[in-house]
Amino acid sequence: MECVVQGIIETQHVEALEILLQGLCGVHRERLRIHELCLKSGPNLGLVASEVRVLCDLEQPEPTWIVRHIGGAMRGSGAEQISVLVRTMVESKVSKNVLRLFYALGYRLDHELLRVGFAFHFQRGASITVTVSSVNKMLKLHATDEAVPVTPGIQLVEVTAPASSENYSEVAAAVSSFCEYLAPLLHLSKPGTSTGVVPTAAAAAASLMSDAGVTT
Amino acid sequence: MPLKWVFHWQPNAGTTVNSQMINEVSQCVESINGVKEGRWKATLTFYKPMFRDQAVPAEYPRDFLGISLPEQPNRYYFIIRSQKIVLEADSSIQMIMEKLQSYKSRVSLTFEGFQYQLGDFQLRVGKVAPSASENLRGIVFEVEYLPLSSMEKSRQILDGFVEIWQEAMSKRSLPGHFMHIEPNFAEFGLSDHYTSQHTAVQYATVMAQLISAVQTAQGVRN
């Protein structure tokens, strides 16, 4: 399981967000360059249509591969009351021929993306990961070098934390309280319910930049 | 990791394996001074595709196999032998497969038995049986040469060992012999440097041999 919230920010304020995150987390950012391939089951395969993501970390000297399955979100009144999405998520590190295997099993490439940006991993009531990335699409199959932004000028911010059925409410609370610190720059909400950019972003960014001694 | 050769028992025509044979093989290992170390167990699971509409014909791999190995408890291996694919994954991949509901486990078999140490060699004797029953389907024998990982460099040493082993076995006059079929690892994209993926490919090869032996025996009976 994982707790997750998402938001968007204008690229011009990303540097300010990075300064804020750096201050809040006390750790250095990690560069992010992930090739994400979404595979869907072929017609008739499976009791239900299924979807699985194959992620290739291009930032490593030798690219590493992960299979990720994102399941349904938790439902019910309890889930509605919390401001983060709680969903099942299972990951497995795999060898590099994973695409060949899934194609042989009858899965087809639905779409692919390239996420470029940075991430912070830190402990704050839960093991939290914040990623800030521009989402790019490929004009030619697997051509990650020629990727172009899906939404120019806008970057995606995602805050996630692993959770279990025993501790998800504490993890959700930890994620929510962390998100409040980012509120002047961006608003984070459950995936699929985007609230757009926040009006205070420009002023908050300017203030952060001047506090950090960065001249723009 | 140290390389290994995996053998399977090839019974003489008209004979089958039984548990007495496993005792004989174990005694044979002890007769050449193998020291019993403990038990080992690997599990091989055949997966079959699930369809929403059974009436629609579909071509999907029939030899999709998942393997767990005792030396890599946190890893899991998928093999489609006909397409020369072997994949290494964290064992959580099994949970992902369950959630996808596109393939389900059809039958599981275990390779299970005792492990022995003999100088630089580690030997394993194991019975092959369906997980849910004690029905013996075959016998496997493994030789691992601990100091080396290169298959080519260790070939001569293993050939020498196997000669001694086959001679010791021949004194027991069992109705059959151990066979080693070395898969073409390069076809699976594997190098000379031995890994657990090589073991998975060897297990899949042994399994294919055991299945074809059963099918041949059934053909003879019919």
Side-chain angles (χ1 to χ4, degrees):
Chain A
M1 281 177 113
E2 67 171 4
C3 291
V4 56
V5 283
Q6 286 178 347
I8 54 172
I9 186 167
E10 289 175 86
T11 301
Q12 56 183 329
H13 303 318
V14 164
E15 197 181 346
L17 176 62
E18 188 186 333
I19 291 166
L20 177 59
L21 285 168
Q22 174 83 56
L24 288 170
C25 312
V27 293
H28 286 288
R29 68 168 208 172
E30 288 173 20
R31 279 150 57 110
L32 190 81
R33 193 174 162 82
I34 306 270
H35 183 191
E36 182 175 319
L37 300 109
C38 178
L39 309 181
K40 289 192 172 171
S41 55
N44 200 28
L45 176 65
L47 295 180
V48 291
S50 57
E51 186 180 303
V52 66
R53 280 159 211 276
V54 172
L55 286 77
C56 179
D57 185 348
L58 299 171
E59 208 38 65
Q60 304 301 321
E62 180 78 15
T64 54
W65 296 79
I66 284 177
V67 174
R68 177 184 290 166
H69 179 268
I70 294 172
M74 201 172 73
R75 290 184 196 159
S77 56
E80 279 162 25
Q81 279 163 17
I82 49 180
S83 57
V84 311
L85 186 77
V86 183
R87 65 187 180 189
T88 61
M89 196 278 290
V90 188
E91 280 187 341
S92 173
K93 285 197 202 89
V94 289
S95 52
K96 63 183 177 190
N97 52 351
V98 59
L99 273 181
R100 239 188 103 206
L101 180 95
F102 273 99
Y103 289 155
L105 294 179
Y107 280 78
R108 301 285 169 260
L109 179 66
D110 186 69
H111 63 272
E112 57 181 341
L113 298 168
L114 179 72
R115 292 179 193 273
V116 182
F118 57 87
F120 285 93
H121 305 279
F122 55 96
Q123 199 69 34
R124 199 184 179 100
S127 174
I128 297 177
T129 297
V130 182
T131 61
V132 182
S133 59
S134 78
V135 180
N136 300 272
K137 60 184 173 186
M138 265 67 85
L139 301 175
K140 283 188 279 182
L141 186 70
H142 305 334
T144 50
D145 292 339
E146 299 168 38
V148 293
V150 175
T151 50
I154 297 283
Q155 303 217 1
L156 179 71
V157 181
E158 202 170 54
V159 181
T160 57
S164 68
S165 51
E166 284 80 39
N167 73 355
Y168 72 86
S169 51
E170 290 93 63
V171 173
V175 169
S176 295
S177 75
F178 177 76
C179 291
E180 283 172 25
Y181 290 102
L182 308 181
L185 274 177
L186 79 159
H187 183 70
L188 292 147
S189 57
K190 296 180 183 182
T193 54
S194 175
T195 44
V197 294
V198 297
T200 54
S207 157
L208 277 159
M209 301 295 270
S210 67
D211 284 354
V214 180
T215 50
T216 50
Chain B
M1 67 181 300
L3 86 149
K4 75 166 88 169
W5 284 7
V6 181
F7 295 73
H8 69 276
W9 183 255
Q10 183 73 45
N12 290 344
T15 65
T16 53
V17 289
N18 58 52
S19 53
Q20 180 53 31
M21 283 182 191
I22 295 184
N23 294 339
E24 292 258 7
V25 176
S26 301
Q27 284 167 20
C28 190
V29 174
E30 283 164 21
S31 76
I32 56 170
N33 298 323
V35 180
K36 196 184 269 190
E37 279 193 319
R39 299 190 71 86
W40 69 284
K41 180 178 173 181
T43 307
L44 289 85
T45 302
F46 281 93
Y47 289 89
K48 68 170 182 183
M50 292 190 275
F51 300 112
R52 267 158 275 170
D53 183 354
Q54 294 290 342
V56 178
E59 271 303 310
Y60 288 101
R62 292 163 173 274
D63 57 347
F64 178 33
L65 196 56
I67 301 178
S68 69
L69 301 173
E71 57 265 39
Q72 299 283 1
N74 300 321
R75 308 294 273 165
Y76 198 70
Y77 298 85
F78 279 136
I79 292 200
I80 305 174
R81 204 169 148 265
S82 57
Q83 300 191 35
K84 312 292 181 206
I85 300 173
V86 57
L87 179 92
E88 183 176 58
D90 285 348
S91 41
S92 55
I93 194 83
Q94 295 171 85
M95 211 191 292
I96 293 177
M97 291 310 290
E98 268 177 45
K99 288 182 179 293
L100 291 178
Q101 296 186 64
S102 50
Y103 284 80
K104 71 171 176 184
S105 128
R106 176 158 53 107
V107 60
S108 279
L109 289 113
T110 53
F111 289 10
E112 188 174 13
F114 284 103
Q115 172 170 313
Y116 302 83
Q117 192 80 24
L118 177 59
D120 284 340
F121 296 93
Q122 190 169 67
L123 312 177
R124 281 171 172 173
V125 178
K127 64 173 184 177
V128 181
S131 300
S133 81
E134 285 291 298
N135 287 342
L136 190 63
R137 292 291 162 83
I139 304 171
V140 285
F141 174 69
E142 296 183 7
V143 187
E144 198 167 342
Y145 184 59
L146 303 172
L148 283 180
S149 291
S150 161
M151 286 186 293
E152 279 316 311
K153 283 182 188 151
S154 51
R155 188 169 300 280
Q156 211 179 345
I157 297 160
L158 276 168
D159 273 334
F161 178 86
V162 169
E163 207 173 301
I164 295 165
W165 165 249
Q166 297 285 25
E167 196 188 317
M169 278 298 294
S170 67
K171 291 178 187 152
R172 306 219 160 226
S173 308
L174 291 170
H177 61 281
F178 276 112
M179 269 182 81
H180 172 232
I181 296 175
E182 187 171 312
N184 187 340
F185 293 116
E187 286 182 345
F188 287 85
L190 302 176
S191 71
D192 178 61
H193 187 89
Y194 198 85
T195 65
S196 295
Q197 294 188 63
H198 290 75
T199 302
V201 171
Q202 291 201 72
Y203 281 8
T205 306
V206 163
M207 213 53 243
Q209 289 298 319
L210 293 174
I211 290 168
S212 88
V214 169
Q215 284 167 345
T216 310
Q218 282 171 347
V220 169
R221 272 204 299 276
N222 298 338

